[in-house]
């Protein structure tokens, strides 16, 4: 039986199935196996991990635990409660109308961020004006219909993770900022900070940055330096605001002080740092990478709730969930009719009734004609039963998002 136990109950002889530490970016340490030495326990404690998952059938058991099913039920309940807050950002134009513009912005953003990083790497002069212009265009697209850039954010390739992650993070921060009604200048600076938050990786050695296997402890320490490098490069760049520097510098800080580069705790971290920490973790854990299979969007939201308090700001996590929806764009959901559909637009009035693109029938185990359905429309009897892992039916949701 799979159980979640507090780190204090972890002992030699237990079999770990999940270190439950995906909130640690770039962490490529082995995630499962039996604990054979006390030294291993100490390494896990130093990570700041509060709970781990064990398999009681493969190793020593403990009474100080709860089943994975119990944890999942609690996370699901918390997710539903988080969705009961006030409505998020209401689209001004249709998804179809905004998609063409969003495609151009998404493509331009990746190219521009890549060019900016290359210029910084070779020490060339940097013109920040195009980045400011891009941030404004991105914010405008999100204001018109955030679902467009949201769809594109789910169509990603793991070999282009660095650039896509930066763009996706700026989209999420823009949506989050609009939901929280941040002042325009503040929002602009945080979006620029999100776009350039990983700029410091230009100083990370390629053998560490692009290593396909597990990082050693020493390599991980080198990787962690990128947050400080981002801060220093941006602080020295003319035309960069203070909040941009703070946003980039604090994206890996954690509420309990286990983050980096400064090990800040609680409100020592700015609200913008706490916001970007949430969006950064969410985008990272829901992305497929060389060493990491991404969670589904709904699984990712539940993990944010599970890590609230110790690592992430719990109040901001709930607000983030409300602004991107119980079933974020790109989620594969099962309808009570037996059909599967990909969420392409969230419903700001009722998150249980998004717009979905159906393409498969689970009762007949076969594809069906692709149809777009607005679950909120009168006369529509379909309702969502649950979110589904696309691998369960071997469905590539990216094919149905553009």
């Amino acid at each position: 039986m799979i159980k979640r136990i507090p780190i204090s109950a972890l002992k030699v002889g237990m079999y770990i199935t999940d270190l439950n530490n995906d909130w640690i970016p770039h962490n490529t340490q082995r995630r499962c196996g039996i604990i054979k030495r006390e030294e291993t326990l100490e390494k896990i404690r130093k990570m700041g991990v509060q709970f781990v998952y064990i398999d009681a059938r493969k190793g020593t058991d403990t009474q100080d635990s709860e089943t994975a099913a119990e944890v999942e039920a609690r996370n699901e309940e918390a997710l539903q409660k988080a969705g009961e807050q006030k409505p998020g950002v209401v689209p001004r134009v249709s998804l179809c109308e905004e998609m063409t513009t969003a495609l151009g912005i998404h493509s331009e953003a990746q190219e521009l961020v890549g060019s900016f990083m290359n210029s910084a790497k070779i020490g060339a002069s940097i013109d920040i004006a195009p980045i400011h212009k891009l941030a404004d265009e991105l914010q405008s697209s999100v204001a018109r219909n955030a679902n467009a850039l949201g769809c594109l954010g789910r169509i990603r390739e793991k070999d282009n993770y660095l650039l896509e992650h930066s763009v996706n993070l700026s989209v999420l921060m823009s949506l989050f900022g609009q939901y929280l009604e941040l002042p325009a200048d503040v929002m602009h600076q945080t979006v620029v900070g999100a776009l350039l938050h990983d700029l410091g990786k230009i100083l990370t050695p390629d053998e560490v940055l692009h290593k396909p296997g597990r990082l050693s402890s020493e390599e991980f320490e080198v990787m962690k330096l990128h947050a400080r490098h981002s801060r220093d490069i941006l602080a020295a760049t003319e035309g960069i605001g203070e909040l941009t520097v703070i946003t980039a510098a604090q994206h890996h800080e954690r509420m309990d002080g286990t983050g980096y580069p400064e090990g800040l705790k609680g409100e020592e971290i700015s609200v913008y740092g706490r916001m970007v920490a949430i969006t950064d973790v969410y985008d990272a854990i829901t992305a497929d990478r060389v060493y990491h299979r991404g969670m589904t969007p709904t699984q990712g939201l539940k993990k944010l709730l599970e890590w609230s308090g110790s690592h992430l700001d719990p109040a901001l996590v709930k607000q983030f969930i409300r602004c991107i929806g119980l079933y974020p764009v790109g989620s594969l959901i099962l309808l009570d009719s037996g059909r599967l559909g990909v969420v392409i637009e969230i419903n700001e009035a009722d998150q249980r009734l998004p717009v979905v693109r159906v393409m498969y029938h689970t009762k007949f185990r076969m594809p069906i004609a692709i149809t777009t359905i607005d679950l909120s429309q009168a006369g529509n009897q379909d309702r969502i039963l649950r979110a589904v892992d696309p691998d369960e039916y071997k469905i590539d949701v990216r094919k149905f998002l553009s």
Side-chain angles (χ1 to χ4, degrees):
M1 177 181 291
I2 306 299
K3 298 181 176 181
R4 191 181 84 147
I5 67 170
I7 192 66
S8 58
L10 187 63
K11 295 179 173 58
V12 171
M14 290 183 171
Y15 187 95
I16 292 180
T17 61
D18 183 0
L19 279 173
N20 197 31
N21 65 342
D22 288 300
W23 48 267
I24 303 178
H26 315 295
N27 176 56
T28 57
Q29 295 186 339
R30 186 178 181 187
R31 298 168 185 271
C32 61
I34 197 159
I35 301 291
K36 297 179 180 179
R37 297 184 298 274
E38 288 289 341
E39 291 82 357
T40 304
L41 291 175
E42 186 59 28
K43 287 181 180 179
I44 296 173
R45 293 189 188 104
K46 286 182 178 179
M47 293 179 191
V49 174
Q50 303 293 322
F51 294 88
V52 298
Y53 288 83
I54 65 169
D55 189 337
R57 297 165 298 185
K58 296 182 179 180
T60 305
D61 198 358
T62 177
Q63 296 300 312
D64 191 3
S65 65
E66 58 183 332
T67 67
E70 290 171 336
V71 176
E72 170 64 19
R74 187 173 64 251
N75 286 342
E76 177 64 30
E77 181 180 2
L79 181 63
Q80 295 298 325
K81 286 183 178 179
E84 295 172 359
Q85 300 177 43
K86 67 176 184 178
V89 180
V90 179
R92 300 176 186 171
V93 304
S94 71
L95 176 63
C96 183
E97 287 178 276
E98 187 58 30
M99 186 58 78
T100 300
T101 302
L103 278 165
I105 293 173
H106 196 266
S107 177
E108 177 191 1
Q110 291 190 61
E111 182 178 340
L112 189 55
V113 172
S115 175
F116 194 96
M117 296 181 78
N118 288 334
S119 295
K121 188 170 186 176
I122 63 176
S125 60
I126 297 173
D127 181 7
I128 194 65
I131 290 287
H132 285 306
K133 180 175 180 292
L134 171 66
D136 288 338
E137 292 174 349
L138 190 147
Q139 287 177 254
S140 295
S141 179
V142 169
R144 289 191 297 268
N145 194 319
N147 297 292
L149 281 170
C151 283
L152 297 176
R154 299 303 305 167
I155 306 172
R156 57 199 304 171
E157 300 295 334
K158 61 185 178 183
D159 292 335
N160 195 32
Y161 173 79
L162 182 59
L163 294 181
E164 291 185 338
H165 174 59
S166 294
V167 176
N168 289 347
L169 194 61
S170 64
V171 172
L172 291 172
M173 281 297 285
S174 183
L175 180 59
F176 204 1
Q178 287 191 40
Y179 174 75
L180 295 177
E181 299 180 341
L182 297 182
D185 179 60
V186 171
M187 260 184 53
H188 176 87
Q189 290 194 56
T190 58
V191 170
V192 173
L195 278 167
L196 302 177
H197 77 290
D198 272 343
L199 180 60
K201 287 183 178 178
I202 64 172
L203 298 178
T204 304
D206 285 345
E207 60 269 23
V208 174
L209 184 61
H210 301 297
K211 185 178 180 180
R214 287 183 288 157
L215 297 179
S216 66
S217 298
E218 294 76 16
E219 289 169 332
F220 187 45
E221 291 303 313
V222 171
M223 177 68 82
K224 287 163 63 175
L225 292 174
H226 80 273
R228 182 173 281 115
H229 293 325
S230 292
R231 178 196 65 195
D232 295 344
I233 294 171
L234 290 173
T237 302
E238 186 176 353
I240 291 291
E242 180 184 3
L243 296 185
T244 292
V245 178
I246 290 173
T247 300
Q250 295 183 354
H251 71 280
H252 287 317
E253 298 289 359
R254 297 294 178 259
M255 297 294 286
D256 58 1
T258 59
Y260 57 88
E262 304 300 333
L264 302 176
K265 292 183 178 180
E267 293 192 2
E268 293 176 352
I269 309 169
S270 73
V271 65
Y272 316 111
R274 282 176 273 152
M275 288 171 62
V276 76
I278 292 167
T279 55
D280 181 68
V281 169
Y282 173 76
D283 190 68
I285 64 178
T286 55
D288 287 330
R289 303 176 68 176
V290 174
Y291 56 82
H292 175 272
R293 179 183 171 276
M295 302 177 188
T296 67
T298 300
Q299 287 173 329
L301 295 181
K302 290 178 183 178
K303 278 299 181 182
L304 294 185
L305 288 164
E306 188 173 342
W307 298 329
S308 291
S310 56
H311 305 301
L312 304 172
D313 184 310
L316 285 175
V317 164
K318 291 176 182 177
Q319 290 173 312
F320 175 70
I321 290 172
R322 185 59 189 87
C323 80
I324 69 169
L326 295 177
Y327 305 101
V329 170
S331 300
L332 183 66
I333 50 91
L334 174 64
L335 301 173
D336 53 13
S337 63
R339 294 181 295 178
L340 293 179
V342 177
V343 175
I344 59 172
E345 289 190 80
I346 62 173
N347 181 342
E348 303 302 337
D350 189 339
Q351 295 192 28
R352 299 165 299 177
L353 303 173
V355 178
V356 299
R357 194 163 281 157
V358 297
M359 84 304 284
Y360 190 89
H361 208 300
T362 59
K363 293 180 180 178
F364 304 113
R365 307 288 297 190
M366 63 181 294
I368 56 177
I370 299 173
T371 308
T372 299
I373 300 174
D374 185 343
L375 296 179
S376 68
Q377 289 296 308
N380 186 5
Q381 300 300 312
D382 257 328
R383 292 295 180 268
I384 295 176
L385 291 180
R386 60 184 174 88
V388 175
D389 189 332
D391 282 357
E392 186 177 339
Y393 294 94
K394 295 181 170 56
I395 291 175
D396 184 353
V397 298
R398 296 175 300 179
K399 296 179 179 179
F400 307 98
L401 287 172
S402 60

